[in-house]
Amino acid sequence: MSELHQLSAAELSAAYAAGDLSPKQATQALIDHVSQWEPHIAALWWHEPEQALAEAAASEQRWHAGQPLSVLDGVPVTLKENIATQGVPVPLGCAATMLSPAMADAPPAARLREAGAVMLGKTTMPDWGMLSSGLSSFHRLSRNPWNVARNPGGSSSGAGAAAAAGYGPIHLGTDIGGSIRLPAHWCGVVGLKPSLGRIPIHPPYAGRVAGPMTRSVTDAALAMSILSQPDARDAMSLPAQPIDWLALPSDARGLRLGLWLDAGWGDPLQPAVRAAITAAARRFESAGATIVPIGPFTTRAMIDGLDRFWRMRSWLDYKQLSPERQAKVLPYIRDWIASGQHLSGEEVFTGYSQMAAMRDAAVNVMQGLDALLSPVSPDVAFAAEQASPCNDPQRPFEHIAYTVAFNFSEQPAISVPAAMDAHGLPIGLQIVGHRHDDLGVLRIARLWEQLRDPLPTFPTAPTAATLPPG
């Protein structure tokens, strides 16, 4: 058997059922493994080993009685810290947040608890989730396990780092512009942004979803079988459907796949990323798919409008704080939102309307296609201390040109590991489907896992001497 921390959710569940392994054994091995990694990557904020072991012991009794609560009973999971868990504060990555224990589990946490999953801990995020970075005014700097001098991305920063470092098989993130897919791309793991409302979440918001980050598509599908159950607290949630989430076998023959390499704006596409995505398209083509080149369909006007809207939204939050608390917000965020105070109502409304324009463009480009292939980000993992690849608060969204439209179009999109660059940094392939066709996206992603060349094994914990200063 592989080292316990490397076992997938499917493997753990099968081992529990066969009596070859107990949830308490798996959880203890994972706690030991986390202790080796955590000083180097700071992926966790809240971590209570004794509580996790108590949950594992309860799961062990259920398996011995032949009464597991679900396929995930006893499987260790982590949740991004903005997904409330009862009794644990929700700092939102920001030192200005007034900490108080959450009164109840948010819907995704409730589903996992009902399923008997072991809550290993909460993972880090940047201030208010407004960065694709492990930089935070509240948490320690989170780092990328492939190279601790590099960034894990964000805003599901700790979740991406935890998945790559082997902190268990399932990690839950959130995504409103790329915050699951970007760290999945930079950390070399699978990250599914489901259709809006497929996983109930609270509080709901336009474009905001929760989704699994895993080492395999199969584990993402297992997580969806639990997380997609209904919850009345999310007024934007989809009606529950009897989806067979593990019906993953697929065939490339007959598929029409768009290939989108030019976003029309944003950071230039790095050669290594272009080469990896082009090679993936050719591999699908060799397996029988038809590849359809797709030109730019989003515009600079769309992202500038979105930027104005989000600056104002964040400015309104910021101005409610006392001067003492304002001073605790990450300086990059303060610089970004400062101009929000001068925006007119017309500018903000026009900016908001660009979300609808983005939605229409993204839905329309899918007509006649089964799915769309693209980069996740034009960039590979950047310096750990930076807030974004270009590190400019006046150009905050240049790296999300390939992800953000699909949040507001409500389409499912996944990042699946595709290749490594010459420096050993991961590159993800984004696969986008039609609205509500989450299973279709998972099936093509699983097919890609079978078509691609073998990838390097995941990194092992570095020694203290290899950790960069600061």
Side-chain angles (χ1 to χ4, degrees):
M1 184 178 291
S2 302
E3 291 188 68
L4 298 188
H5 71 270
Q6 295 179 339
L7 295 179
S8 69
E11 289 170 331
L12 285 173
S13 186
Y16 298 160
D20 296 332
L21 179 66
S22 76
K24 196 168 182 180
Q25 286 175 304
T27 301
Q28 183 61 65
L30 196 56
I31 290 168
D32 295 341
H33 177 73
V34 167
S35 70
Q36 297 174 27
W37 263 113
E38 189 59 11
H40 307 295
I41 61 172
L44 296 179
W45 169 56
W46 174 87
H47 176 47
E48 295 289 346
E50 292 306 316
Q51 180 176 327
L53 287 170
E55 292 173 5
S59 172
E60 193 167 314
Q61 292 180 354
R62 293 191 292 270
W63 279 104
H64 284 163
Q67 298 178 330
L69 297 175
S70 78
V71 69
L72 295 187
D73 201 337
V75 173
V77 301
T78 73
L79 297 92
K80 188 175 178 179
E81 57 104 318
N82 65 341
I83 299 171
T85 50
Q86 187 175 21
V88 179
V90 182
L92 301 176
C94 185
T97 303
M98 299 292 286
L99 298 181
S100 58
M103 299 301 295
D105 287 340
R111 299 295 84 75
L112 289 169
R113 205 180 296 278
E114 292 161 2
V118 173
M119 304 291 187
L120 183 72
K122 306 293 287 290
T123 52
T124 60
M125 62 183 284
D127 290 47
W128 299 333
M130 293 308 298
L131 296 179
S132 296
S133 171
L135 190 63
S136 163
S137 64
F138 180 84
H139 302 294
R140 290 195 300 131
L141 177 64
S142 298
R143 296 176 180 272
N144 192 319
W146 292 96
N147 182 337
V148 294
R150 300 294 181 115
N151 210 294
S155 62
S156 302
S157 314
Y167 285 25
I170 294 174
H171 309 271
L172 197 60
T174 62
D175 191 315
I176 202 168
S179 290
I180 288 172
R181 289 157 290 160
L182 290 162
H185 155 66
W186 285 317
C187 292
V189 299
V190 173
L192 174 65
K193 181 206 80 68
S195 299
L196 183 73
R198 178 67 70 198
I199 295 176
I201 192 169
H202 191 266
Y205 199 81
R208 183 174 189 248
V209 302
M213 301 176 72
T214 63
R215 287 185 169 189
S216 72
V217 172
T218 298
D219 273 0
L222 275 174
M224 290 299 294
S225 71
I226 301 299
L227 295 167
S228 61
Q229 300 304 308
D231 194 301
R233 288 175 289 173
D234 184 352
M236 301 174 75
S237 62
L238 296 173
Q241 292 180 264
I243 297 172
D244 183 358
W245 289 102
L246 293 178
L248 295 178
S250 186
D251 191 328
R253 288 173 293 184
L255 289 177
R256 286 179 57 83
L257 304 176
L259 176 59
W260 182 37
L261 295 174
D262 183 359
W265 60 276
D267 288 343
L269 187 59
Q270 294 186 12
V273 178
R274 178 183 294 274
I277 306 310
T278 302
R282 298 287 83 82
R283 188 65 60 91
F284 275 110
E285 188 174 45
S286 297
T290 298
I291 301 299
V292 182
I294 300 295
F297 58 88
T298 59
T299 66
R300 172 59 64 181
M302 291 177 184
I303 197 62
D304 285 348
L306 182 76
D307 187 4
R308 288 191 293 272
F309 171 78
W310 282 99
R311 284 182 200 243
M312 175 58 81
R313 184 182 186 274
S314 296
W315 169 255
L316 292 175
D317 290 338
Y318 178 79
K319 79 169 191 173
Q320 300 301 316
L321 303 176
S322 67
E324 293 76 18
R325 291 171 63 197
Q326 287 179 350
K328 295 181 178 182
V329 176
L330 197 69
Y332 181 100
I333 296 292
R334 296 204 305 266
D335 291 346
W336 170 59
I337 64 177
S339 64
Q341 62 186 306
H342 304 299
L343 293 171
S344 69
E346 179 179 354
E347 288 174 311
V348 175
F349 179 81
T350 302
Y352 182 80
S353 70
Q354 291 301 314
M355 287 190 265
M358 225 184 284
R359 172 194 176 103
D360 290 345
V363 170
N364 289 339
V365 80
M366 292 292 296
Q367 302 311 306
L369 300 175
D370 293 294
L372 183 72
L373 309 178
S374 82
V376 180
S377 172
D379 310 285
V380 295
F382 52 99
E385 295 79 10
Q386 292 183 190
S388 71
C390 71
N391 208 35
D392 181 355
Q394 302 313 313
R395 300 169 59 240
F397 298 144
E398 301 305 296
H399 55 288
I400 67 171
Y402 293 97
T403 55
V404 64
F406 305 115
N407 289 81
F408 298 102
S409 66
E410 305 179 10
Q411 293 166 253
I414 194 169
S415 176
V416 192
M420 311 294 283
D421 77 354
H423 302 287
L425 297 173
I427 298 171
L429 168 69
Q430 181 172 236
I431 302 169
V432 184
H434 289 272
R435 291 175 68 228
H436 309 154
D437 186 21
D438 303 74
L439 181 59
V441 165
L442 286 168
R443 294 183 72 191
I444 295 173
R446 177 67 186 116
L447 176 61
W448 169 244
E449 287 182 327
Q450 297 168 326
L451 292 175
R452 73 185 177 204
D453 292 331
L455 294 172
T457 57
F458 281 95
T460 56
T463 64
T466 64
L467 186 65

